[in-house]
Each structure stands twice: as structure tokens, then as C-alpha cells.
């Protein structure tokens, strides 16, 4: 992600201990050509929901029916992305969605989040509780 810093002498109106970026993406297991052909054909063919959702390029997919050496539970690239945190600290999460056709909601189980910025603009802080989720659209 690209972060734009404030001009010298300016500070953010909120305080946090650590700053982390989270990149969300969708993964369609068909080729781009197959997807584009269906979307642009006269007999429009919706591609459906993505087969996988990824955080920093990592996610889970039940590939038991596939014959592929890439799909191996022991492969470290197949394990979920982990962010280590220190209890009692405040973390700013910069969440970016690079989805193509899917709208995603994001939450951290058991934690409320305070939204302080959206699309590069400060907002009046508001709390999002577990179950209400934050919604990002890739469109």
C-alpha cells in the first residue's frame, strides 16, 4: 500500500501505538480470459463469487479434489496471514480492498473497531461492533 504522509508540522487527530496495513483480495480460480469471456459475451455469464478470499495473498481453499502440488496444507504460503499484537495497545489498521467483483466485510472476532478515516479523509470517529462489520467494495 502507498501511504501519504502529512506535511511537516501537521499531526493526526488520533493516537495509536502501532500502524498495520491489511490488503484484502479475491481469487477466482478460473483464468482471466475465461472470466472476461463470460462477462463480455452476448450470452452474459456471471462469474459468481470468488473461490477464495485472501489477506496479504494468503487464504484457505478446500483443494482436496484438485491434483496440484501447489495446494498443500504444509506449504507455508497456504497458511493464513497472522498479525502479532500486544494486549492493551491500540492499532491503526489501514485496510485496502483490491477485489475485482466482490464486496467484502471485515471484522476481528471479539473486538470492536473505531473508524477514524475513510478513503483518505478523516471522519468523525464511530465504533463498529462485532457482527456489523466494515464494508469495502472493490468496485
Amino acid at each position: 500500500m502507498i501511504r501519504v504522509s502529512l506535511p511537516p508540522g501537521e499531526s493526526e487527530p488520533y493516537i495509536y501505538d502501532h500502524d498495520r496495513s491489511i490488503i484484502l483480495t479475491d481469487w477466482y480460480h478460473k483464468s482471466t480470459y475465461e472470466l472476461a469471456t463470460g462477462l463480455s459475451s452476448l450470452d452474459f455469464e456471471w462469474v459468481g463469487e470468488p473461490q477464495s478470499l485472501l489477506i496479504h495473498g494468503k487464504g484457505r481453499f478446500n483443494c482436496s479434489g484438485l491434483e496440484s502440488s501447489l495446494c498443500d496444507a504444509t506449504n507455508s504460503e497456504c497458511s493464513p496471514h497472522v498479525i502479532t499484537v500486544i494486549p492493551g495497545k491500540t492499532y491503526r489498521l489501514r485496510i485496502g480492498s483490491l477485489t475485482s467483483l466482490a464486496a467484502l466485510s471485515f471484522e476481528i472476532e471479539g473486538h470492536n473497531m473505531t473508524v477514524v478515516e475513510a478513503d483518505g479523509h478523516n471522519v468523525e470517529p464511530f465504533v463498529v461492533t462485532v457482527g456489523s462489520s466494515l464494508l469495502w467494495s472493490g468496485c
Side-chain angles (χ1 to χ4, degrees):
M1 290 174 72
I2 297 173
R3 295 184 185 178
V4 178
S5 299
L6 291 172
E10 287 190 32
S11 61
E12 294 174 329
Y14 29 84
I15 298 171
Y16 50 88
D17 299 304
H18 301 281
D19 196 343
R20 301 285 189 266
S21 295
I22 297 176
I23 299 174
L24 307 173
T25 54
D26 53 5
W27 177 24
Y28 291 87
H29 296 199
K30 290 184 179 180
S31 71
T32 303
Y33 175 78
E34 290 174 285
L35 296 172
T37 300
L39 290 171
S40 62
S41 68
L42 291 176
D43 296 329
F44 176 80
E45 183 180 324
W46 177 241
V47 296
E49 297 298 321
Q51 286 72 46
S52 300
L53 299 175
L54 309 176
I55 299 176
H56 287 287
K58 293 184 172 189
R60 292 185 179 176
F61 174 69
N62 180 0
C63 54
S64 58
L66 300 177
E67 294 180 27
S68 171
S69 61
L70 296 175
C71 193
D72 181 355
T74 62
N75 182 342
S76 64
E77 290 187 24
C78 296
S79 57
H81 180 73
V82 175
I83 297 175
T84 303
V85 298
I86 301 167
K89 298 292 182 179
T90 300
Y91 289 81
R92 177 180 184 173
L93 302 178
R94 299 172 188 254
I95 303 169
S97 177
L98 303 178
T99 59
S100 52
L101 297 171
L104 304 178
S105 57
F106 179 85
E107 70 182 51
I108 298 174
E109 185 177 0
H111 295 275
N112 294 333
M113 294 185 282
T114 303
V115 177
V116 297
E117 183 180 330
D119 294 329
H121 299 282
N122 292 327
V123 298
E124 186 68 34
F126 61 93
V127 175
V128 178
T129 58
V130 172
S132 59
S133 303
L134 298 174
L135 180 67
W136 275 267
S137 174
C139 300

